[in-house]
Amino acid sequence: MNLQLLYHEYVNLKFSRGLPPVQMGSFEYGYCEDGRTALFLTGRDDALFTDWTDELQPRDPHYIRNPDWEPVLSDIFKQMDVYDELVFYYLLFTINSTTTITNHNPYGAMNDFMKNYCFTQLSQLGDVSAISEERKRQLREFFFFFYLYAHPVNEETLYAFSFREHELVHTKTNIEMERYFSAYHDYYREHLDKFSGKILLSPQEIEACKRLTLELLRSLEGKSAKLTLPPEDGLEDVLRLVNDVDALIRTYSENRTQVFEVMAGFLADNHSSPYRDHGFRTLLQHYACYILYFKFDEIHHLVDYFKSNPAWCGKIINHMFADTIFPQRIMRLNHIDITEHKRVIEFFGEEARRIYL
């Protein structure tokens, strides 16, 4: 599976770009009765990529005083217990559902944007050379936290995993998730006769799901080629900074005005579309995560540049602070009190005030 090809198809459908569909081998996008646009096994309107494991969800041991069963893969991973097995299942569903397009209320739309943003940034971090390894480590933890938080997952799953360099591991057991998910798919493919009433896929289709799940996981781990937003006429300057974090950081460090000019150029252009707006909003979150995360006072240079146009300044500030809650966590991690930045607060709209004040 070419993950970049899949990601571009996801973007094309999500933002109604109207481009012809592309062939993706074992998978194709289709529409679900509940309003989702999701990946199906090619030619199978009854086989959703995200849902093939529905009937395999482990029993929840939290409702039983002394669970008396073993995890399905306990012979391979002897250090795991039934609580770990359920957490692994939640992570599997979280990863697989990255490819799904859903209709959301405003709260769900924020979560959807954050999860998608964090997924793409985790794929890019390994290629970023303009920041130190320590800062990349901090950002990897930051993005992965929000990738899970925005899905959303339960608290146990949220704090269950960590990175060991470029390996995602279950912290308690030290199980590498790539090894676990590989063994998980192999087990059900090899014992398909035992689960004929629960699994609707063929061995070849389970293998295809395995390949895609592992590719999504490797992207999260930063092992695969970085994911980029596809080109769009008139959006070149924005996408250059969005798709190349090094270019953003170096341009900003050499002459921050050039970054602000890209923002201003977008706002001066009246040709809006869902995809163009997404590119701009992504650029603003780049500014929050790659610039303000490490030096929050830089926000005042942005305000100084745009203060002569209050409408533009307000639009930028409110997208940056209300499209996500990244700035809220950035300030919390760095012990920053937003009330001490009155020149920023004065541009807050109703939603930003609700979140931060």
Side-chain angles (χ1 to χ4, degrees), residues 104-105 121 139 142 149 190 202 210 225 282 299 306:
H104 294 291
N105 58 33
Q121 295 318 294
L139 285 171
F142 179 88
Y149 177 88
E190 294 165 4
S202 68
K210 170 186 171 180
T282 300
I299 191 70
F306 285 100

Side-chain angles (χ1 to χ4, degrees), residues 222-268:
K223 296 177 182 175
S224 303
K226 71 176 184 180
L227 298 175
T228 59
L229 287 175
E232 173 93 351
D233 289 343
L235 202 60
E236 292 86 356
D237 290 341
V238 168
L239 292 180
R240 178 177 62 85
L241 299 181
V242 165
N243 288 332
D244 188 347
V245 172
D246 278 333
L248 169 69
I249 295 172
R250 288 173 178 150
T251 300
Y252 191 85
S253 64
E254 293 168 3
N255 184 357
R256 65 174 69 90
T257 298
Q258 292 182 20
V259 174
F260 298 152
E261 286 173 350
V262 171
M263 297 177 185
F266 176 87
L267 292 172

